[in-house]
Structures are given as C-alpha cells and as structure tokens.
Amino acid sequence: MSPPTASPATAEAAARACMASLVGSLADNKAALGRRYAEWAISAPTLESAVAAAAMAQDELGHARSTYPVLKALGAEVSDEHPHPLALLDDQLPDWTALIAANLLVDGVLTTFVAACADSSIAQLAQRARKILQEEGTHRVHAEAWARRLCRSGGRERDALVARLRETWEEAGRWTGPDDDPGYRAAMASGMVAQSPAEQRELMRAWLTALLGAEGVEIALEQPADWSRWDPGLRRWSP
C-alpha cells in the first residue's frame, strides 16, 4: 500500500523550509569560508596566491551578505543566532593544503548547489545564483591550478592533498543532505532547485576524480551512507 501523498500546501511548506535551511546555511558557510580565505591572504606560499586568497575572501563575504535577504522570499527571517557553518570552518584552516581542499570541495559543493538554483522558481534566488556564478569561476581556476601543482610535487605534498580532500569530503559531501529528504524532493518538484543531492555529489566526484586522475592520482569520494552524526537543522556533520 502506497504512503499517503502530502497535500500541495504541506509539500510547499516542506519545500520552502528545506530551501530556507539550505540558503541560510549557504550564506553561513560563505561567510565562514570568506574569513578562512582572508586569514591566508598574508601567509599564502606565493604573492599571487595571497592576492587570490584576498580576492576570494572578498567574493565570499559579499556573496554571504547578498544571500541572507533571499530568506525573506522563502518566508524565513534572518536569524541573529550564531551561524552554523561546516565544522571544518569553525577555526582557521591549519595549512595551505587544507585551504586548497576547502577551495576545491567546500567552495565547489556550495557553487554546485548555487548552479542548481540558477533557474529557480524563486526569482530572488535565481537572480542571486546567476550573479554568484559569474564570480566563482576564478575560485575554481585557482583550486584546479593548485591541485595540479600539489599532485605534480609528488610524495608528501601529493599525499597530504589526498588526505585533506578525504577529510573535507566527509563534511562537505554531506552538506546538501541525504537524497531521500522529502523537503528537498518537494523543492525539486516545485522548481526551486534543479538537481538532487546525489546528482550534485556525483558532479563534484566526477570533476575532482578527473582533475586528479589527469595527474596520475587516484581518489575515491564515495556517496555518504552514514548519516548518524548528521544534524539536519544545522546542515552539519560532526566529525
């Protein structure tokens, strides 16, 4: 016997609640990522990367500031409570390799979600998403260039990158939530977001495995199976 179908009003409410959670967390994570980038703007290994870190920090902080107002379009209020980014962004990133892993995977996961909202039925979200995507291209270029550089260095630097990427994926790979979230499915059905969590994770996995594979480095980023330490309210995995 099939489970009862939610009423349109119930499905709409669930969709908006899910998107409000994602959009609020998107802004929280962009603000935190901006701060983490800024902390490396004076200590990056090259002058070029220091300038890039400062520019990416400015982008992310601007994205956060302009994303919070989208919550009003979803019927939610901007909370005055302490923001809740991914746990790995709570404190300064411990080394440059950790920053590159965040550049690749945290920035990448957030941008993949933003791309899935570029044609959202929520006009304010679609407008904001398209603007963010215009500015995210340089972040990806920076991340890919450093990934190649660390892979080609071989030995310790290559192995450290792979280890940091695996650690980062544990959190970033779960950010959109499990694929069977009814609120997310309702949001897709309403045209608020175009791709499921699993589809977005697959895009990230395919991109990163191809990037590193071209340098002769193998990495496996699995679809998360364990959600026991996942907090759906905070969109946060406890490492």
Side-chain angles (χ1 to χ4, degrees):
M1 187 174 181
S2 300
T5 303
S7 70
T10 299
E12 178 72 9
R16 286 185 172 272
C18 178
M19 291 301 290
S21 171
L22 282 158
V23 170
S25 181
L26 172 68
D28 285 351
N29 277 286
K30 279 187 163 289
L33 185 60
R35 290 192 292 272
R36 301 292 84 88
Y37 282 156
E39 289 162 347
W40 278 90
I42 58 172
S43 53
T46 67
L47 176 60
E48 181 183 38
S49 288
V51 172
M56 292 191 300
Q58 185 175 10
D59 286 343
E60 296 297 352
L61 293 170
H63 296 167
R65 182 183 178 92
S66 62
T67 298
Y68 283 118
V70 177
L71 289 171
K72 292 183 179 180
L74 291 161
E77 294 296 327
V78 178
S79 174
D80 292 329
E81 297 178 2
H82 185 73
H84 300 288
L86 298 175
L88 67 91
L89 298 179
D90 282 345
D91 300 303
Q92 183 172 351
L93 295 168
D95 51 52
W96 183 250
T97 305
L99 182 138
I100 296 305
N103 191 182
L104 286 160
L105 286 176
V106 178
D107 212 337
V109 163
L110 298 179
T111 301
T112 300
F113 171 73
V114 169
C117 298
D119 294 313
S120 175
S121 57
I122 303 165
Q124 297 93 325
L125 177 57
Q127 292 166 1
R128 177 49 34 205
R130 290 192 288 268
K131 176 61 175 174
I132 289 173
L133 291 174
Q134 291 174 8
E135 299 173 350
E136 281 288 344
T138 55
H139 298 210
R140 181 163 177 160
V141 168
H142 180 265
E144 290 181 338
W146 267 99
R148 294 187 186 100
R149 180 171 179 169
L150 292 172
C151 287
R152 291 169 186 173
S153 296
R156 186 178 301 174
E157 291 189 343
R158 178 198 60 211
D159 294 345
L161 174 64
V162 172
R164 287 295 189 195
L165 287 170
R166 286 175 175 155
E167 292 171 4
T168 304
W169 181 250
E170 282 292 301
E171 296 186 46
R174 288 176 168 83
W175 178 73
T176 48
D179 206 45
D180 60 356
D181 179 352
Y184 199 108
R185 290 186 175 183
M188 288 184 65
S190 296
M192 297 178 185
V193 60
Q195 294 168 322
S196 71
E199 288 172 330
Q200 292 178 49
R201 282 189 282 268
E202 185 55 39
L203 286 173
M204 287 295 302
R205 293 168 64 210
W207 164 61
L208 193 62
T209 54
L211 174 65
L212 270 60
E215 304 302 326
V217 177
E218 293 186 5
I219 186 169
L221 301 177
E222 303 298 335
Q223 285 278 359
D226 179 8
W227 293 92
S228 61
R229 289 177 283 157
W230 165 253
D231 186 326
L234 302 182
R235 309 205 74 81
R236 181 173 163 126
W237 171 259
S238 296

